Amino acid sequence: KPNPSCYEKALQLSGFSREEVVAIEDTATGARAAIDAGLKCIAVTKQKAERDRLDFATYLFSDLKEVNAILR
């Protein structure tokens, strides 16, 4: 990361399409890799500075409990 190739390889190996996958990341570089690979990205961090750098993520949360609510 930030190269999206790790996500592209995982998609290839898993057989899932981009529409079926969501990445969960806690850093801007990881989130950028996911977005650049064409995935939706849930960013999770409590750090204010990192939250500011993650404003491009599909979703941005401060706690994993919040993520659980949208994945149901």
Side-chain angles (χ1 to χ4, degrees):
K1 301 176 196 175
N3 189 321
S5 63
C6 60
Y7 280 111
E8 293 163 352
K9 183 68 172 181
L11 284 169
Q12 178 188 14
L13 292 173
S14 72
F16 289 105
S17 70
R18 285 170 170 75
E19 294 77 25
E20 297 174 293
V21 175
V22 61
I24 300 175
E25 287 286 351
D26 64 348
T27 66
T29 55
R32 176 55 55 206
I35 296 289
D36 288 350
L39 302 178
K40 291 181 180 174
C41 181
I42 298 172
V44 181
T45 185
K46 293 181 181 182
Q47 299 175 17
K48 169 77 170 103
E50 197 64 28
R51 287 182 67 81
D52 292 343
R53 289 190 288 267
L54 286 164
D55 64 350
F56 61 88
T58 311
Y59 302 98
L60 180 56
F61 298 111
S62 60
D63 192 292
L64 280 173
K65 292 176 186 173
E66 297 171 289
V67 173
N68 192 35
I70 69 162
L71 293 179
R72 291 184 181 192

